[in-house]
Amino acid sequence: MNDAALNSLSDNLLDTLRCQPIRSYPASQLATLHNCCPADILFAVDLLRRSGYDIKSGREERFRFISAPDLLLAAEITHRLTTSFVGRTVYAYNSVQSTNSVAGKLAEAKAPDGAVVVAESQTKGRGRMARPWYSPEQAGIYLSIILYPEINPADAPGLSIITSLALADTLAGYDPSEISIKWPNDCLLGGRKTAGILTELSADLISVHHVIVGVGVNLNQRRTDFPPEIRRTATSLRAETKTEIRRVRFLRRFLKQFENNYQRFCRSGLKPFRRRILKYSSLLGKNIKLDMQGTIIAGKAVDIDRNGNLVLETSTGCRTFSAGEVTVVKNHRR
Ligand code: BTN
């Protein structure tokens, strides 16, 4: 049996075994069910165990499913996933330079709409403003979603905004303190960054060829795990809730929220999201500085408009901005 056939047999075997986890199955019965010989079943069980599945062997070569690992494996992500197209195809890797780079190449090769690239770690994870994204093994989620939306290229920044809302709603399910979104799309818990989004677009003037929505979420890192330069500004869901997070479950929940938002956004733009955008915004009413590639604008954040732009009250009147890096200005008491 070649590698592809063995992988496919182990996926199907997994479905059979966990369909009724209290039951144990003899290898001979599994072989009949999967149209192979009992020795192939033993190879497939071995492969599953090496991937982290706990499968118990009993008398007379009987097998029983005990538990699945919390690893970002394609079979785990798609198991019980309730989306209609997002995450239906998963490309899962142990380590890549950047899931966005892998996804970009897959999109050029016409990977399916909604396909997801995930990795247990990244060696060159990248963030906005060419910053690195800290991507240690098995602590967070690093994923990229491949999309072919029929939208105007000018509306693409809205995709980052609806992604940050999907993240905020997923985080809310874990009941952490104070979830907010720092415009345009950083997700914060208790004022510290927990998730970031890097949306990359391939388009011409009138149409979008593909979009890669890259998402990094800090889930199980401890505060002290973060490198010194971000330790004061970063956090993880586990650090905030004091509970270990099942990453696969988080990912499935996020993909479902994302798909709902994405379908709505493609139909109606950002308009239906305005209430939630304002609810989560960490900036409204605050004095900020906006850095637009070296040009600094100071003002008070007064609104996020229906196109997702930040509205600032400045010394020369209200001005609207579609991009930039925000710093909140602290009021110093004399
Ligand atoms: C930011 O806040 O600056 C955006 C961070 C985006 C990080 C994610 S991790 C998965 C995907 N692959 C990357 O190289 N970057 C994004």
Side-chain angles (χ1 to χ4, degrees), residues 103-164:
K105 290 196 183 109
L106 287 164
E108 299 287 347
K110 299 280 169 286
D113 196 17
V116 162
V117 178
V118 278
E120 290 291 359
S121 69
Q122 298 183 115
T123 51
K124 283 194 183 153
R126 51 177 198 270
R128 292 171 60 241
M129 315 281 170
R131 293 195 194 108
W133 183 259
Y134 167 65
S135 314
E137 201 178 345
Q138 293 179 22
I141 289 180
Y142 321 109
L143 89 141
S144 302
I145 309 174
I146 299 169
L147 299 161
Y148 306 95
E150 290 179 5
I151 58 170
N152 188 319
D155 294 332
L159 285 168
S160 300
I161 293 180
I162 59 126
T163 306
S164 65

Side-chain angles (χ1 to χ4, degrees), residues 31 33-34 39 69 78 93 112 114-115 180 184 190 226 258 260 277 281:
L33 264 173
H34 293 284
T78 50
Y93 298 88
S180 58
F226 290 104
F258 174 83
N260 289 345
I277 293 171
S281 171

